Coordinates of all heavy atoms in Angstrom, one line a residue:
W186 N -5.6 -11.1 7.8 CA -5.3 -12.6 7.8 C -6.6 -13.4 8.1 O -6.9 -14.4 7.5 CB -4.2 -12.8 8.7 CG -3.7 -14.2 8.8 CD1 -3.8 -15.1 9.8 CD2 -2.9 -14.9 7.8 NE1 -3.2 -16.3 9.5 CE2 -2.6 -16.2 8.3 CE3 -2.4 -14.6 6.5 CZ2 -1.9 -17.2 7.6 CZ3 -1.7 -15.6 5.8 CH2 -1.4 -16.8 6.3
K187 N -7.3 -12.9 9.1 CA -8.6 -13.6 9.5 C -9.6 -13.5 8.4 O -10.4 -14.4 8.2 CB -9.1 -13.0 10.8 CG -8.7 -13.7 12.0 CD -9.5 -13.4 13.2 CE -10.4 -14.7 13.5 NZ -11.2 -14.5 14.7
A188 N -9.6 -12.3 7.8 CA -10.7 -12.1 6.8 C -10.7 -13.1 5.6 O -11.7 -13.4 5.0 CB -10.6 -10.7 6.2
K189 N -9.5 -13.6 5.3 CA -9.4 -14.5 4.2 C -10.2 -15.9 4.4 O -10.4 -16.6 3.5 CB -7.9 -14.8 3.8 CG -7.2 -15.6 4.8 CD -5.8 -15.9 4.3 CE -4.9 -16.6 5.3 NZ -5.6 -17.5 6.3
D190 N -10.5 -16.1 5.7 CA -11.3 -17.3 6.0 C -12.7 -17.2 5.6 O -13.5 -18.2 5.6 CB -11.2 -17.7 7.5 CG -9.7 -17.9 7.9 OD1 -8.9 -18.3 7.0 OD2 -9.4 -17.8 9.1
R191 N -13.2 -16.0 5.4 CA -14.7 -15.8 5.2 C -14.9 -15.0 3.9 O -16.1 -14.7 3.6 CB -15.3 -15.1 6.4 CG -14.7 -13.7 6.7 CD -15.4 -13.1 7.9 NE -14.6 -12.0 8.4 CZ -14.7 -10.8 8.0 NH1 -15.4 -10.4 7.0 NH2 -13.9 -9.8 8.6
H192 N -13.9 -14.7 3.1 CA -14.0 -13.8 2.0 C -12.9 -14.1 1.0 O -11.9 -14.6 1.3 CB -13.9 -12.3 2.4 CG -14.3 -11.3 1.4 ND1 -15.6 -10.9 1.3 CD2 -13.6 -10.7 0.4 CE1 -15.7 -10.0 0.3 NE2 -14.5 -9.9 -0.3
P193 N -13.2 -13.9 -0.4 CA -12.1 -14.2 -1.3 C -11.0 -13.2 -1.2 O -10.9 -12.2 -1.9 CB -12.8 -14.1 -2.7 CG -14.1 -13.3 -2.5 CD -14.5 -13.5 -1.0
V194 N -10.0 -13.5 -0.3 CA -8.8 -12.6 -0.1 C -7.6 -13.5 -0.5 O -7.4 -14.5 0.1 CB -8.7 -12.2 1.3 CG1 -7.4 -11.3 1.5 CG2 -9.9 -11.3 1.8
L195 N -6.8 -13.0 -1.4 CA -5.5 -13.6 -1.6 C -4.5 -12.8 -0.8 O -4.3 -11.6 -1.0 CB -5.1 -13.5 -3.1 CG -3.7 -14.0 -3.5 CD1 -3.6 -15.5 -3.3 CD2 -3.3 -13.6 -4.9
Y196 N -3.8 -13.5 0.2 CA -2.9 -12.8 1.1 C -1.5 -13.1 0.7 O -1.0 -14.3 0.7 CB -3.2 -13.4 2.5 CG -2.7 -12.6 3.7 CD1 -3.6 -11.8 4.4 CD2 -1.4 -12.5 4.0 CE1 -3.2 -11.1 5.5 CE2 -0.9 -11.8 5.1 CZ -1.8 -11.1 5.8 OH -1.4 -10.3 6.9
L197 N -0.8 -12.1 0.3 CA 0.6 -12.2 -0.2 C 1.6 -11.5 0.7 O 1.2 -10.7 1.5 CB 0.7 -11.6 -1.6 CG -0.1 -12.1 -2.7 CD1 0.0 -11.2 -3.9 CD2 0.2 -13.5 -3.1
F198 N 2.8 -11.9 0.6 CA 3.9 -11.3 1.4 C 4.9 -10.7 0.5 O 5.4 -11.3 -0.5 CB 4.6 -12.4 2.3 CG 3.7 -12.9 3.3 CD1 2.9 -14.1 3.1 CD2 3.6 -12.3 4.6 CE1 2.0 -14.6 4.0 CE2 2.7 -12.8 5.5 CZ 1.9 -14.0 5.3
Y199 N 5.3 -9.4 0.8 CA 6.3 -8.7 0.0 C 7.6 -9.6 -0.1 O 8.2 -9.7 -1.2 CB 6.7 -7.4 0.8 CG 7.7 -6.5 0.2 CD1 7.3 -5.4 -0.6 CD2 9.1 -6.8 0.3 CE1 8.3 -4.5 -1.1 CE2 10.0 -6.0 -0.3 CZ 9.6 -4.8 -1.0 OH 10.6 -4.0 -1.5
E200 N 8.0 -10.2 0.9 CA 9.2 -11.0 0.9 C 9.1 -12.2 -0.1 O 10.1 -12.5 -0.8 CB 9.6 -11.5 2.3 CG 9.9 -10.5 3.3 CD 8.7 -9.6 3.8 OE1 7.5 -10.2 3.8 OE2 8.8 -8.5 4.2
D201 N 7.9 -12.8 -0.2 CA 7.8 -13.9 -1.2 C 7.9 -13.4 -2.6 O 8.4 -14.0 -3.5 CB 6.4 -14.5 -1.0 CG 6.3 -15.3 0.3 OD1 7.3 -15.4 1.0 OD2 5.1 -15.7 0.7
V202 N 7.3 -12.2 -2.8 CA 7.3 -11.6 -4.2 C 8.8 -11.3 -4.6 O 9.2 -11.5 -5.7 CB 6.4 -10.4 -4.3 CG1 6.3 -9.9 -5.8 CG2 5.0 -10.6 -3.8
K203 N 9.5 -10.8 -3.6 CA 10.9 -10.4 -3.8 C 11.7 -11.7 -4.1 O 12.6 -11.7 -5.0 CB 11.5 -9.7 -2.6 CG 12.8 -9.0 -2.7 CD 12.6 -7.7 -3.4 CE 13.9 -7.3 -4.0 NZ 13.9 -6.1 -4.9
E204 N 11.4 -12.8 -3.3 CA 12.2 -14.0 -3.5 C 11.9 -14.7 -4.8 O 12.8 -15.2 -5.4 CB 11.8 -15.0 -2.3 CG 12.4 -16.3 -2.3 CD 11.9 -17.2 -1.2 OE1 10.7 -17.5 -1.2 OE2 12.7 -17.5 -0.3
N205 N 10.6 -14.7 -5.2 CA 10.3 -15.5 -6.4 C 9.1 -14.8 -7.1 O 7.9 -15.2 -7.0 CB 9.9 -16.9 -6.0 CG 9.8 -17.8 -7.3 OD1 9.5 -17.3 -8.4 ND2 10.0 -19.1 -7.1
P206 N 9.4 -13.7 -7.8 CA 8.3 -12.9 -8.4 C 7.4 -13.8 -9.3 O 6.2 -13.6 -9.3 CB 9.0 -11.8 -9.1 CG 10.4 -12.0 -9.1 CD 10.7 -13.1 -8.0
G207 N 8.0 -14.6 -10.1 CA 7.3 -15.5 -11.1 C 6.2 -16.3 -10.4 O 5.0 -16.4 -10.8
R208 N 6.6 -16.9 -9.3 CA 5.7 -17.8 -8.5 C 4.5 -17.0 -8.0 O 3.4 -17.4 -8.1 CB 6.5 -18.4 -7.4 CG 5.7 -19.3 -6.5 CD 6.5 -19.7 -5.2 NE 6.8 -18.6 -4.4 CZ 7.8 -18.5 -3.6 NH1 8.7 -19.5 -3.5 NH2 8.0 -17.4 -2.9
E209 N 4.8 -15.8 -7.4 CA 3.7 -15.0 -6.8 C 2.8 -14.4 -7.9 O 1.6 -14.2 -7.7 CB 4.4 -13.9 -5.9 CG 5.2 -14.5 -4.8 CD 4.4 -15.5 -3.9 OE1 3.4 -15.1 -3.3 OE2 4.9 -16.7 -3.8
I210 N 3.4 -14.0 -9.0 CA 2.6 -13.4 -10.1 C 1.6 -14.5 -10.6 O 0.5 -14.2 -10.9 CB 3.5 -12.8 -11.2 CG1 4.3 -11.6 -10.7 CG2 2.7 -12.5 -12.5 CD1 5.4 -11.1 -11.6
R211 N 2.1 -15.7 -10.7 CA 1.2 -16.8 -11.1 C 0.0 -16.9 -10.2 O -1.1 -17.1 -10.6 CB 2.0 -18.1 -11.2 CG 2.7 -18.4 -12.4 CD 2.6 -19.8 -12.9 NE 3.3 -20.0 -14.2 CZ 2.9 -19.6 -15.3 NH1 1.7 -19.0 -15.4 NH2 3.6 -19.8 -16.4
K212 N 0.3 -16.8 -8.9 CA -0.8 -16.9 -7.9 C -1.8 -15.8 -8.1 O -3.0 -16.1 -8.0 CB -0.2 -16.7 -6.4 CG 0.3 -17.9 -5.7 CD 0.7 -17.5 -4.3 CE 1.7 -18.4 -3.7 NZ 2.3 -17.9 -2.5
V213 N -1.3 -14.6 -8.4 CA -2.2 -13.5 -8.6 C -3.1 -13.8 -9.9 O -4.3 -13.7 -9.9 CB -1.5 -12.2 -8.8 CG1 -2.4 -11.1 -9.2 CG2 -0.7 -11.8 -7.5
A214 N -2.5 -14.3 -11.0 CA -3.2 -14.6 -12.2 C -4.2 -15.7 -12.0 O -5.4 -15.5 -12.4 CB -2.2 -15.0 -13.3
E215 N -3.9 -16.7 -11.2 CA -4.8 -17.7 -10.9 C -6.0 -17.2 -10.1 O -7.2 -17.5 -10.4 CB -4.1 -18.9 -10.1 CG -3.6 -19.9 -11.0 CD -2.6 -20.9 -10.3 OE1 -2.9 -21.2 -9.1 OE2 -1.6 -21.2 -10.9
F216 N -5.7 -16.4 -9.2 CA -6.8 -15.8 -8.3 C -7.7 -14.9 -9.2 O -8.9 -14.9 -8.9 CB -6.1 -14.9 -7.3 CG -7.1 -14.2 -6.3 CD1 -7.8 -15.0 -5.4 CD2 -7.2 -12.9 -6.3 CE1 -8.7 -14.4 -4.5 CE2 -8.1 -12.2 -5.4 CZ -8.8 -13.0 -4.5
L217 N -7.2 -14.3 -10.2 CA -8.0 -13.5 -11.1 C -8.6 -14.3 -12.3 O -9.3 -13.7 -13.2 CB -7.2 -12.3 -11.7 CG -6.5 -11.4 -10.7 CD1 -5.7 -10.3 -11.4 CD2 -7.6 -10.8 -9.8
D218 N -8.3 -15.6 -12.3 CA -8.8 -16.5 -13.4 C -8.3 -16.0 -14.8 O -9.1 -16.0 -15.7 CB -10.4 -16.5 -13.4 CG -10.9 -17.2 -12.2 OD1 -10.3 -18.2 -11.7 OD2 -11.9 -16.6 -11.6
I219 N -7.1 -15.6 -14.8 CA -6.5 -15.2 -16.1 C -5.3 -16.1 -16.5 O -4.4 -16.4 -15.6 CB -6.0 -13.7 -16.0 CG1 -7.1 -12.7 -15.7 CG2 -5.2 -13.3 -17.2 CD1 -6.8 -11.3 -15.5
Q220 N -5.4 -16.6 -17.7 CA -4.3 -17.5 -18.2 C -3.1 -16.6 -18.5 O -3.2 -15.6 -19.1 CB -4.7 -18.1 -19.5 CG -5.9 -19.1 -19.4 CD -5.5 -20.4 -18.8 OE1 -4.3 -20.8 -18.9 NE2 -6.4 -21.1 -18.1
L221 N -1.9 -17.2 -18.1 CA -0.7 -16.4 -18.3 C 0.3 -17.2 -19.0 O 1.0 -18.1 -18.4 CB -0.2 -16.0 -16.9 CG 0.5 -14.7 -16.7 CD1 -0.4 -13.5 -17.2 CD2 0.8 -14.5 -15.2
P222 N 0.5 -17.0 -20.3 CA 1.5 -17.7 -21.0 C 2.9 -17.4 -20.5 O 3.1 -16.3 -20.0 CB 1.4 -17.2 -22.5 CG 0.1 -16.5 -22.6 CD -0.2 -16.1 -21.2
E223 N 3.8 -18.3 -20.6 CA 5.2 -18.1 -20.0 C 5.9 -16.8 -20.5 O 6.5 -16.1 -19.7 CB 6.1 -19.3 -20.5 CG 7.3 -19.6 -19.7 CD 7.1 -20.0 -18.3 OE1 6.0 -20.5 -18.0 OE2 8.1 -19.9 -17.5
S224 N 5.7 -16.5 -21.8 CA 6.3 -15.3 -22.3 C 5.8 -14.0 -21.7 O 6.5 -13.1 -21.4 CB 6.1 -15.2 -23.8 OG 4.8 -15.2 -24.1
V225 N 4.5 -14.0 -21.4 CA 3.8 -12.9 -20.7 C 4.3 -12.8 -19.3 O 4.6 -11.7 -18.8 CB 2.3 -13.0 -20.8 CG1 1.6 -11.8 -20.1 CG2 1.8 -13.0 -22.3
L226 N 4.4 -13.9 -18.6 CA 4.8 -14.0 -17.2 C 6.2 -13.4 -17.2 O 6.5 -12.5 -16.3 CB 4.8 -15.4 -16.7 CG 5.4 -15.6 -15.3 CD1 4.5 -14.9 -14.3 CD2 5.7 -17.0 -15.0

Side-chain angles (χ1 to χ4, degrees):
W186 182 250
K187 264 199 108 178
K189 71 176 173 31
D190 300 336
R191 59 180 164 86
H192 191 91
V194 177
L195 175 69
Y196 199 105
L197 300 173
F198 295 90
Y199 179 101
E200 294 73 27
D201 291 351
V202 188
K203 195 78 201 172
E204 179 182 66
N205 191 337
R208 181 188 62 205
E209 300 304 302
I210 292 169
R211 275 222 180 283
K212 272 188 204 166
V213 175
E215 269 166 37
F216 182 67
L217 301 181
D218 296 316
I219 296 176
Q220 295 283 336
L221 215 53
E223 196 70 18
S224 59
V225 176
L226 174 70

